[in-house]
């Protein structure tokens, strides 16, 4: 009985201990799994950080490589440019050798001239004396220049006044001549019109009246006398018109000659003179 009793107790105790062991094992596995999960998260985070870090380093290195390539290309360009400049400088040095030799020769010549300093000093004294004389002559010339400028201003004023007078005179003569020409032309046209009317009226009269030939001859002679008189008057008017036009053109030529003599350009006149056409031209 005691053995059975303790056997049961041992079985109960074994069951309790087994249950406790399983519980503890389960807790240990729980902690182990939690720790493993935390370690995996930490490892993944560390791996991600390391990956991002090395990605950044790789991108920076690629950018640095690209920048270094550009710098290398730029340095190559600068090297080529410097090589060209070097060649140009060498060429310039070759070209400057001859001027350098000439400059050295000039220095030698100047050293020779320096040996004659006393002579040059004496020449400088003489030059200063001549300079004083020249300065006095310059002052005299400046005074004469001022006098000439005043005279020139006076002549300019007289020229401007004469120009204004000429302009006024040419306007007046143009107006008078134009008016006279207009009157003469109108008078001439009126006489020609009257003559044509008279001829028409005379032909109508001859046609209407049955006059004998002697009477017609007498009337014709009288008419010819009248026509000759009118023609003479017309010729006189044409001659007067031609004389007026010629006088007007002569006056324009004289005026232009005066302007040219005084140095006034014809474009500055302010108007364009009208040359009258001469009858028959």
């Amino acid at each position: 009985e005691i053995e059975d009793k303790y056997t049961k107790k041992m079985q109960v105790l074994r069951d309790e201990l087994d249950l406790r062991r399983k519980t503890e094992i389960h807790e240990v596995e729980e902690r182990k799994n939690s720790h493993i999960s935390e370690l995996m998260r930490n490892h993944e985070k560390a791996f991600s950080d390391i990956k991002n870090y090395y990605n950044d380093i790789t991108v920076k290195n690629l950018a640095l490589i690209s920048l270094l390539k550009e710098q290398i290309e730029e340095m190559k360009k600068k090297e080529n440019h410097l090589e060209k400049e070097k060649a140009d400088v060498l060429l310039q040095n070759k070209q400057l050798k001859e001027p350098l030799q000439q400059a050295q020769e000039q220095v030698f010549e100047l050293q020779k001239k320096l040996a004659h300093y006393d002579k040059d000093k004496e020449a400088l004294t003489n030059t200063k004396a001549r300079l004083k004389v020249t300065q006095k002559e310059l002052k005299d010339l400046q005074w004469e220049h001022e006098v000439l400028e005043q005279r020139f201003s006076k002549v300019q004023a007289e020229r401007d006044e004469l120009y204004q007078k000429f302009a006024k005179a040419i306007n007046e003569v143009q107006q008078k001549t134009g008016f006279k020409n207009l009157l003469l032309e109108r008078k001439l046209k009126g006489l020609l019109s009257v003559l044509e009317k008279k001829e028409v009226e005379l032909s109508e009269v001859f046609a209407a009246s049955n006059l004998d030939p002697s009477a017609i001859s007498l009337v014709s002679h009288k008419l010819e006398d009248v026509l000759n008189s009118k023609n003479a008057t017309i010729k006189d008017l044409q001659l007067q018109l031609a004389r007026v036009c010629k006088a007007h053109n002569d006056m324009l030529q004289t005026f232009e000659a005066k302007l040219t003599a005084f140095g006034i350009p014809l474009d500055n006149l302010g108007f364009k003179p009208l040359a009258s056409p001469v009858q028959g031209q």
Side-chain angles (χ1 to χ4, degrees):
E1 290 176 358
I2 292 171
E3 185 177 359
D4 290 335
K5 182 180 179 180
Y6 279 98
T7 301
K8 288 179 181 180
K9 285 184 178 181
M10 284 292 293
Q11 185 66 36
V12 171
L13 181 61
R14 185 178 286 113
D15 292 337
E16 288 177 359
L17 290 175
D18 190 30
L19 180 61
R20 184 183 296 175
R21 180 181 60 81
K22 288 181 180 180
T23 303
E24 289 178 354
I25 289 172
H26 182 69
E27 290 178 356
V28 169
E29 286 181 354
E30 289 280 337
R31 288 196 299 272
K32 180 194 71 171
N33 291 331
S34 176
H35 185 62
I36 288 172
S37 297
E38 186 177 357
L39 286 175
M40 288 180 69
R41 287 196 300 271
N42 292 333
H43 288 170
E44 287 178 357
K45 184 176 181 302
F47 179 74
S48 178
D49 293 339
I50 291 172
K51 184 179 179 181
N52 292 331
Y53 173 72
Y54 282 107
N55 285 333
D56 293 339
I57 291 176
T58 303
V59 171
K60 289 181 180 178
N61 287 335
L62 289 174
L64 182 61
I65 290 170
S66 177
L67 179 62
L68 290 174
K69 285 183 178 179
E70 292 178 357
Q71 290 180 355
I72 289 171
E73 290 179 358
E74 188 68 24
M75 293 297 292
K76 286 182 179 179
K77 290 180 180 179
K78 288 183 178 179
E79 184 179 2
N80 294 329
H81 182 66
L82 290 173
E83 288 292 335
K84 290 180 180 179
E85 288 185 351
K86 179 182 176 182
D88 294 337
V89 170
L90 291 174
L91 182 61
Q92 289 179 0
N93 287 335
K94 290 181 181 179
Q95 293 176 352
L96 290 174
K97 281 184 179 179
E98 184 176 354
L100 179 61
Q101 292 178 357
Q102 294 178 356
Q104 289 176 350
E105 293 176 357
Q106 290 179 359
V107 169
F108 181 71
E109 292 294 330
L110 290 174
Q111 288 177 351
K112 284 184 179 180
K113 291 181 180 179
L114 185 62
H116 302 285
Y117 172 74
D118 294 332
K119 293 182 180 180
D120 294 338
K121 188 176 181 180
E122 184 179 357
L124 178 62
T125 304
N126 296 330
T127 304
K128 287 182 177 179
R130 289 197 298 271
L131 179 62
K132 290 181 179 179
V133 175
T134 305
Q135 286 178 347
K136 185 177 182 303
E137 292 178 353
L138 178 62
K139 289 181 179 178
D140 295 337
L141 289 173
Q142 287 177 347
W143 181 78
E144 292 179 0
H145 179 67
E146 291 179 358
V147 173
L148 289 174
E149 279 187 346
Q150 292 177 359
R151 292 176 61 187
F152 177 71
S153 299
K154 185 177 179 181
V155 170
Q156 271 189 334
E158 292 177 355
R159 183 200 67 182
D160 294 338
E161 183 180 359
L162 183 61
Y163 170 72
Q164 292 176 358
K165 288 181 179 179
F166 268 122
K168 186 177 180 181
I170 194 69
N171 285 329
E172 291 178 356
V173 171
Q174 275 189 338
Q175 291 176 359
K176 292 179 180 178
T177 306
F179 182 71
K180 193 171 183 181
N181 289 341
L182 184 62
L183 289 177
L184 290 173
E185 288 177 357
R186 288 183 177 179
K187 190 175 181 181
L188 183 60
K189 289 180 180 179
L191 290 174
L192 290 174
S193 177
V194 171
L195 179 60
E196 289 177 357
K197 289 180 180 179
K198 294 296 182 182
E199 288 179 351
V200 172
E201 291 175 359
L202 184 61
S203 62
E204 290 178 353
V205 168
F206 285 159
S209 62
N210 295 322
L211 297 176
D212 56 352
S214 60
I216 292 174
S217 176
L218 181 61
V219 173
S220 297
H221 286 300
K222 288 183 179 181
L223 182 59
E224 287 178 358
D225 294 337
V226 173
L227 289 176
N228 291 329
S229 176
K230 295 297 182 181
N231 289 330
T233 304
I234 290 171
K235 288 182 180 179
D236 291 337
L237 291 174
Q238 288 177 345
L239 290 174
Q240 291 178 11
L241 179 60
R243 283 196 296 270
V244 171
C245 292
K246 187 176 183 304
H248 174 72
N249 293 335
D250 292 341
M251 185 271 297
L252 285 179
Q253 292 177 359
T254 304
F255 178 67
E256 291 176 355
K258 289 291 183 181
L259 289 179
T260 305
F262 281 101
I264 301 173
L266 298 178
D267 295 337
N268 295 337
L269 192 59
F271 62 93
K272 185 178 181 181
L274 297 175
S276 300
V278 180
Q279 293 292 331
Q281 295 182 357

